[in-house]
Amino acid sequence: MTRAFETVIGLEVHVQLATETKLFCSCPTSYIGKEPNSMVCPVCLGLPGTLPSLNGRAVELGITAALAMGCSINRNSRFHRKNYFYPDLPKAFQISQYDLPLAVCGSIPIFIGGRKKIIGITRLHLEEDAGKLVHGSSDGRLSGTSFSLVDYNRAGIPLAEIVSEPDLSSPEEAREYVLAIRRLVRYLGVSDGDMESGSLRVDANISQKCTDGRWGNRVEIKNLNSVRAMERALEHETVRQRDILSGGGAVKQETRHWDDVAGSTRPTRGKEEAHDYRYFPEPDLPAIVVCDPMVRRLEEGIPELPWAKRERFEMEWGLDPMDSTALSERLDVAEFLEGVVAAGADSGISANWVRTDIMRILKETGLKADELPFTPEALGDLLVKISKGVLSNTAAKDVLEQMYRKGLDVAAAMNAAGVDPGGISEGTLEGVIRKVLEANPVEAGLILSGEDPSGKKKKFLQGLVMREIRGQSPVQDVASMMDKVMGEMKKPNGSSV
Amino acid sequence: MKFDGLDASQTASAVAKGELSAVDVVTASLQRIKRLEPQLNALITVMEHEALERAALVDLKVASGGDPGPLAGVPVIVKDNMCTHGVRTSCGSRMLEKWVPPYDASVVGYLQCAGAVIIGKSNMDEFAMGSSTEHSAFGPTSNPIDTSRVPGGSSGGSAASVAAGYVPLALGSDTGGSIRQPAAFCGVHGLKPTYGLVSRWGLVAFASSLDQIGPFARSVADIALAMDVIAVPDPRDPTCSRGERPSFRNLAESPDLKGMRIGVVREFLGDSLHPDLRQAISEAESFLASSGCGIVDISLADSASFGLPCYYIIAPAEASSNLARFDGVRYGHREDAENLVCQYTRTRATGFGEEVKRRILTGTFALSSGYYDAYYLTALKARKKISDEFERAFSSADIILMPATPSLPFRKGELMDDPISMYMSDVFTLPVNLAGLPGMTVYAGLNAEGLPLSVQIVAPRWEDSRLINCAAVLEQHFGRPSSAMGGVY
Ligand SMILES: [Zn+2]
């Protein structure tokens, strides 16, 4: 008996909001690499008598992300307490949102094989992070450990939880979705979206829908520490669930833990999931009231979104999807490219340069495009010079190198690169050509006697000339000057070869 | 000049003028505490060293010509659920028996800025849960008027300290009557301000939506003076109003109730009310009428029917969450055990007393899935009804007059095995917390046995000044409480 299945996936993505201070106290958020428990205060340690004070910036960042996904913003939302005991949770409750989240009902497009798919966003809510436990046992788990250490530096870090509709139908779509969320939050400056450091975390819900209309139970997968791990876990889980269902079994509704080394999921311990969180409204915090002027102000600050840029790069500039995707990945790069084109450079050449040379420099230096020592306008000028034939590609690359290494402007960089800003004079060019022809009499002779029908010898000589003049004349100028010089050579009164 | 019988404002002005030294005042207060504590057990911690040091600073300031503040040199006692930097804050619990906070409650800071000298931390029912100060890990407090009786609770230590003349002024916290009921039992004034008027920062939470700090004193003027000092906006408490506060002191000096409508709650004056307390209400009513007030009858039927059950769902529910942090991981009492769950359960089983455990269990149950709607949500609806009812009442009355407690101070041990009767002693006070209103217990003389009588007055939200005004008028009739046991203050 064979049955066909459809995979149904919904994701919960937690992003760490890029605030200076924690969600409810003024401790700094830059806890990575810091001494354990060095970035804590009575509030985030949950000491008796302390009260939370909401960080308004976190609310703004949450609203910004929600607006970018077309969510509707609740004008009155509130915090709830999620109660459970765990040593990393200082108050034994997490301040989170429950029935009235900050925003609901949005969407985000993803692109699969050039096809666009809209993924629904159920809600976005704010919550505080917990601390971190380090267990003393050999396998790093809590059970059987003789002691555990706890670091509260992360406790109270602001998170936005973005919950998707179960609109994703494959691990690949899930990957594209996570990348789209990451790209978006980075565009907006809402989060650094770094999965490795835990600024972006994903929990996945996955189930199988059978063509006969029956559904398998939903399984939640945790411990997905990279996009790759998530994809592998979802692939593994798809197979596992389909095997169970095909064999006539039932998928157990449960939370499973992804083991990246074993490459499989296993159930989390029953006790850990049998939680009744006893949610109730947080009495220490008034409702979050969002007014229209605030929404308008935040809306105005939202840049053109990555998917819109991508489409515009294709429609307006004719970039292929590979280029448009790569060039819209980062806001700094996309805006740099736009600056280059705005300076008058050809969009195709600009895209090519930004994708190769600029991306290489950014990778080497770790800089953002707006931190480069030269402006997009400067690169635009340079590329215009190529189009006008004032500079060859090769020479322009030397000039760019000078601009980036020494922070010079275009003119100074051209000087430093030994490139004549005015190009090569006709006289100089003619002199160089004559020198090259004299140094290569065999080739010159063959051309003059008409024995170079394919033009290969001519190209070779032109190449030598270009090298000699460091590419400071357009190749067509070199060709016409060479024709002129050789024409003169053919004349009886010309100098003999 | 001698300070016997001076109130807080008189003491402060004498200290500021250099007629009295703050160190002498504090020393006299400490001597009295030493003499009477064996009988009363009103304090958990006496801050002798810190108090003398601070008093010396006040004297130094006076000597150098600086402004020592409106409470210069006035010894003050705060309930032991208000954090004091470097001084143990136990909440009357074994759980925090040795816990020393690294910060001050806002009110503690405000008092000190005003020149007050915190001289001790008062005994209380554990985590403010109780009405007799018998539920304390540090032993029960006795009522200074009759040491065989309870001082009320949960702020019984603060009420007893003022009644016994340790200090002219003390702070308590009131979640369902924990200032007003002990004030009534000890024969002093006690004010529970509007929810959000006084900062809760540094007050160890019992039920966050109900808790409010307020003063005990033996004169309305001192209540007003304390309010001027502690009722200030505080950004550290998001539920604390940013709005402006009136000068309470000015109101207390020249009270005027002409044209005020006093609403009397007839259904609270039935047989369950002690006849002497009924008599106090009718005396207050006649005096207010003769002072130019109109008297109207009002009904608080919803408060009477739903108040107690509503409170005993909401307060324990919030408490179950607020007290969950006492798990032995970071601070406080801990019982080491073979694993985490055992550590949690043993720590909490041995660290908390019976009443606290009873309320944590009740609250946990009320919030549990499957019961939330039937209990917590229903209680929230009842709370709304009670608020609405008060609002309606305030359309025909400006101030409500009602009893503070149904009974006179009961004997120690009398209700320890009967939690429901114990809960009943807050039946008139807790609806006021549920509605977030200001309420005040005003001393109304002594009965034939020498036990203190009282009335409660309640005003609309943010109209705390109206209570000061009314209490000052009532004080003209009933007189000021005198300190029991021949106190210094
Ligand atoms: Zn902090």
Side-chain angles (χ1 to χ4, degrees):
Chain A
M1 174 177 71
T2 45
R3 284 183 283 178
F5 296 99
E6 270 173 44
T7 299
V8 179
I9 300 169
L11 297 183
E12 290 167 17
V13 177
H14 286 88
V15 294
Q16 180 184 328
L17 296 171
T19 54
E20 295 284 316
T21 55
K22 292 185 180 181
L23 189 51
F24 298 116
C25 63
S26 50
C27 289
T29 50
S30 50
Y31 67 91
I32 300 283
K34 298 281 161 49
E35 179 85 2
N37 298 312
S38 62
M39 313 197 89
V40 294
C41 72
V43 175
C44 55
L45 285 177
L47 293 191
T50 58
L51 295 169
S53 279
L54 178 59
N55 180 343
R57 185 68 193 137
V59 177
E60 291 185 350
L61 293 176
I63 293 175
T64 301
L67 287 171
M69 296 186 293
C71 294
S72 47
I73 310 297
N74 276 325
R75 291 303 191 265
N76 260 291
S77 75
R78 65 177 169 187
F79 285 104
H80 268 64
R81 290 186 183 178
K82 180 181 180 178
N83 297 282
Y84 63 96
F85 288 95
Y86 208 63
D88 66 4
L89 196 64
K91 302 185 291 296
F93 59 80
Q94 180 196 30
I95 304 180
S96 181
Q97 293 194 282
Y98 186 56
D99 58 357
L100 276 175
L102 193 60
V104 292
C105 288
S107 68
I108 189 168
I110 62 169
F111 296 86
I112 298 288
R115 186 178 52 90
K116 180 170 165 181
K117 183 173 177 183
I118 304 291
I119 307 301
I121 301 293
T122 314
R123 58 188 272 152
L124 179 148
H125 75 243
L126 301 178
E127 63 185 31
E128 58 177 342
D129 208 342
K132 267 184 188 164
L133 278 186
V134 182
H135 300 306
S137 72
S138 53
D139 64 352
R141 297 189 66 197
L142 186 52
S143 58
T145 184
S146 59
F147 68 92
S148 298
L149 301 172
V150 58
D151 173 9
Y152 293 109
N153 282 350
R154 203 180 67 180
I157 295 281
L159 302 175
E161 180 174 334
I162 302 168
V163 182
S164 84
E165 291 287 309
D167 289 346
L168 301 159
S169 3
S170 68
E172 188 196 5
E173 287 188 11
R175 180 193 68 211
E176 288 308 312
Y177 171 81
V178 171
L179 294 179
I181 295 281
R182 188 178 71 177
R183 198 179 296 126
L184 177 67
V185 294
R186 286 178 173 175
Y187 251 64
L188 299 171
V190 156
S191 171
D192 67 22
D194 189 2
M195 259 184 116
E196 242 163 72
S197 66
S199 300
L200 190 150
R201 277 168 267 164
V202 183
D203 295 331
N205 286 295
I206 175 168
S207 59
Q208 303 299 320
K209 187 182 171 190
C210 188
T211 41
D212 65 12
R214 293 190 310 136
W215 284 78
N217 274 326
R218 184 166 56 95
V219 168
E220 183 174 9
I221 315 176
K222 291 191 179 280
N223 194 41
L224 306 173
N225 293 324
S226 66
V227 177
R228 184 72 201 120
M230 179 193 71
E231 259 189 294
R232 288 177 65 212
L234 290 171
E235 277 157 14
H236 167 85
E237 193 59 22
T238 302
V239 172
R240 192 187 70 86
Q241 293 184 6
R242 287 182 181 185
D243 282 352
I244 293 172
L245 293 167
S246 300
V251 174
K252 192 177 161 206
Q253 179 163 349
E254 62 183 349
T255 301
R256 296 178 71 89
H257 183 92
W258 169 249
D259 183 333
D260 210 36
V261 178
S264 61
T265 60
R266 57 176 156 73
T268 52
R269 283 185 20 255
K271 239 180 196 171
E272 284 171 12
E273 58 179 307
H275 276 138
D276 176 356
Y277 290 121
R278 290 174 283 121
Y279 279 100
F280 76 102
E282 165 57 277
D284 285 330
L285 288 165
I288 308 171
V289 178
V290 180
C291 58
D292 290 342
M294 178 180 174
V295 172
R296 270 198 300 279
R297 175 171 60 79
L298 295 173
E299 222 157 20
E300 279 160 15
I302 293 178
E304 186 182 24
L305 296 171
W307 53 88
K309 277 205 194 296
R310 180 194 148 118
E311 281 180 339
R312 189 165 54 78
F313 289 173
E314 288 175 28
M315 305 294 288
E316 275 183 21
W317 298 345
L319 301 191
D320 64 44
M322 285 263 281
D323 279 346
S324 65
T325 307
L327 289 164
S328 60
E329 177 68 27
R330 284 170 54 172
L331 180 63
D332 59 325
V333 173
E335 287 187 335
F336 191 88
L337 171 62
E338 286 163 351
V340 176
V341 175
D346 174 76
S347 54
I349 295 176
S350 304
N352 199 352
W353 274 68
V354 172
R355 217 194 139 171
T356 53
D357 299 81
I358 299 300
M359 292 295 268
R360 176 180 52 78
I361 293 172
L362 297 182
K363 205 171 166 195
E364 273 173 26
T365 56
L367 292 175
K368 288 172 79 181
D370 51 8
E371 295 164 347
L372 285 169
F374 53 88
T375 61
E377 289 72 29
L379 179 61
D381 281 354
L382 194 64
L383 301 188
V384 167
K385 286 191 164 49
I386 299 177
S387 301
K388 281 192 184 154
V390 178
L391 269 187
S392 74
N393 230 30
T394 327
K397 294 205 174 182
D398 289 348
V399 175
L400 178 67
E401 203 66 14
Q402 295 295 329
M403 288 161 68
Y404 139 60
R405 297 226 182 268
K406 300 190 181 146
L408 301 173
D409 63 18
V410 180
M414 284 174 76
N415 252 329
V419 176
D420 185 340
I424 297 286
S425 72
E426 284 199 11
T428 312
L429 180 59
E430 190 177 333
V432 171
I433 288 173
R434 285 187 190 282
K435 219 173 80 192
V436 168
L437 291 178
E438 278 160 21
N440 297 277
V442 180
E443 285 77 7
L446 288 171
I447 298 167
L448 280 172
S449 58
E451 287 170 68
D452 180 32
S454 64
K456 266 190 186 161
K457 307 286 179 210
K458 201 170 174 177
K459 283 242 163 62
F460 168 72
L461 292 180
Q462 281 170 8
L464 293 178
V465 172
M466 284 302 274
R467 191 194 294 164
E468 200 67 25
I469 62 167
R470 307 180 49 88
Q472 292 173 80
S473 281
V475 72
Q476 59 268 35
D477 289 7
V478 172
S480 64
M481 179 60 80
M482 191 179 277
D483 288 347
K484 186 181 147 216
V485 171
M486 292 187 105
E488 280 169 9
M489 282 177 174
K490 271 190 193 165
K491 288 176 190 166
N493 59 344
S495 47
S496 62
V497 176
Chain B
M1 188 167 187
K2 290 277 280 179
F3 34 85
D4 283 28
L6 298 188
D7 67 7
S9 16
Q10 291 162 335
T11 305
S13 97
V15 168
K17 287 182 198 144
E19 295 166 358
L20 272 178
S21 94
V23 170
D24 286 349
V25 171
V26 166
T27 306
S29 175
L30 286 167
Q31 278 167 357
R32 180 157 184 81
I33 288 168
K34 262 181 205 152
R35 191 156 60 78
L36 292 181
E37 265 303 90
Q39 282 168 269
L40 296 182
N41 192 36
L43 304 180
I44 291 174
T45 304
V46 179
M47 295 161 58
E48 179 167 358
H49 177 71
E50 293 87 346
L52 286 170
E53 215 167 59
R54 190 162 284 274
L57 284 176
V58 172
D59 287 335
L60 207 63
K61 193 150 197 184
V62 173
S64 67
D67 176 8
L71 288 175
V74 175
V76 175
I77 280 164
V78 299
K79 190 177 180 178
D80 206 24
N81 59 354
M82 295 170 207
C83 290
T84 39
H85 191 161
V87 176
R88 185 250 309 260
T89 298
S90 74
C91 294
S93 179
R94 204 184 155 201
M95 192 60 98
L96 293 178
E97 205 176 345
K98 295 181 183 115
W99 183 62
V100 177
Y103 46 89
D104 277 326
S106 290
V107 289
V108 166
Y110 300 153
L111 285 171
Q112 287 172 343
C113 275
V117 178
I118 315 276
I119 197 168
K121 306 290 298 285
S122 65
N123 201 4
M124 55 185 284
D125 287 299
E126 184 178 4
F127 286 105
M129 298 175 188
S131 310
S132 66
T133 316
E134 291 170 293
H135 302 285
S136 166
F138 298 83
T141 295
S142 305
N143 191 323
I145 290 178
D146 175 349
T147 52
S148 72
R149 293 175 194 267
V150 302
S154 62
S155 314
S158 288
S161 296
V162 172
Y166 288 2
V167 287
L169 204 59
L171 295 188
S173 68
D174 189 317
T175 306
S178 285
I179 290 173
R180 290 158 292 158
Q181 187 256 18
F185 277 17
C186 292
V188 296
H189 301 312
L191 170 65
K192 186 217 75 101
T194 301
Y195 182 83
L197 193 70
V198 177
S199 170
R200 291 185 296 120
W201 170 266
L203 171 69
V204 180
F206 160 16
S208 313
S209 75
L210 300 162
D211 296 343
Q212 193 66 187
I213 292 172
F216 292 94
R218 290 194 324 280
S219 75
V220 176
D222 280 0
I223 294 278
L225 175 58
M227 286 299 286
D228 279 340
V229 170
I230 64 169
V232 294
D234 181 10
R236 285 174 297 186
D237 175 1
T239 62
C240 184
S241 161
R242 306 270 161 103
E244 253 184 69
R245 275 76 167 162
S247 162
F248 295 101
R249 212 174 167 187
N250 291 347
L251 279 159
E253 277 165 13
S254 48
D256 180 11
L257 286 182
K258 275 194 193 67
M260 283 271 175
R261 299 164 300 169
I262 306 296
V264 180
V265 192
R266 295 294 163 201
E267 62 236 87
F268 287 172
L269 306 179
D271 290 342
S272 57
L273 180 65
H274 192 285
D276 292 352
L277 293 168
R278 201 179 306 135
Q279 177 56 33
I281 295 275
S282 74
E283 228 182 290
E285 189 185 328
S286 329
F287 183 71
L288 290 172
S290 71
S291 310
C293 296
I295 304 293
V296 292
D297 284 358
I298 57 159
S299 165
L300 291 175
D302 287 343
S303 298
S305 337
F306 310 137
L308 198 80
C310 171
Y311 176 86
Y312 277 98
I313 289 167
I314 288 176
E318 292 184 14
S320 72
S321 173
N322 283 330
L323 271 62
R325 71 190 67 196
F326 303 112
D327 57 10
V329 172
R330 289 158 301 275
Y331 49 81
H333 172 72
R334 158 148 96 199
E335 292 275 340
D336 284 317
E338 59 275 19
N339 65 43
L340 180 67
V341 172
C342 289
Q343 182 184 309
Y344 279 161
T345 49
R346 259 182 238 165
T347 296
R348 290 168 67 79
T350 55
F352 289 135
E354 287 308 304
E355 182 59 26
V356 170
K357 279 188 254 186
R358 178 157 37 236
R359 297 206 199 184
I360 289 175
L361 287 173
T362 311
T364 303
F365 179 80
L367 290 175
S368 297
S369 80
Y371 299 97
Y372 181 89
D373 288 5
Y375 290 95
Y376 188 75
L377 216 54
T378 307
L380 285 189
K381 284 178 196 156
R383 185 175 188 174
K384 178 79 173 56
K385 269 182 99 91
I386 290 167
S387 280
D388 291 348
E389 182 179 66
F390 271 109
E391 201 162 303
R392 279 196 306 278
F394 283 121
S395 66
S396 55
D398 301 304
I399 295 168
I400 294 173
L401 174 67
M402 60 194 217
T405 63
S407 71
L408 300 178
F410 44 86
R411 295 197 183 274
K412 285 181 180 168
E414 193 178 327
L415 298 182
M416 273 305 268
D417 299 323
D418 185 0
I420 301 295
S421 301
M422 186 80 92
Y423 295 172
M424 283 300 289
S425 61
D426 290 331
V427 68
F428 298 132
T429 45
L430 50 84
V432 176
N433 298 74
L434 289 168
L437 306 172
M440 183 168 175
T441 290
V442 182
Y443 171 73
L446 303 173
N447 74 356
E449 298 165 76
L451 292 175
L453 301 173
S454 62
V455 299
Q456 181 181 203
I457 48 178
V458 179
R461 273 172 80 76
W462 315 117
E463 297 295 342
D464 305 59
S465 53
R466 219 179 269 175
L467 297 183
I468 301 278
N469 191 359
C470 181
V473 169
L474 287 171
E475 196 177 53
Q476 294 167 359
H477 176 71
F478 290 116
R480 287 182 177 191
S482 60
S483 51
M485 309 173 95
V488 177
Y489 289 99

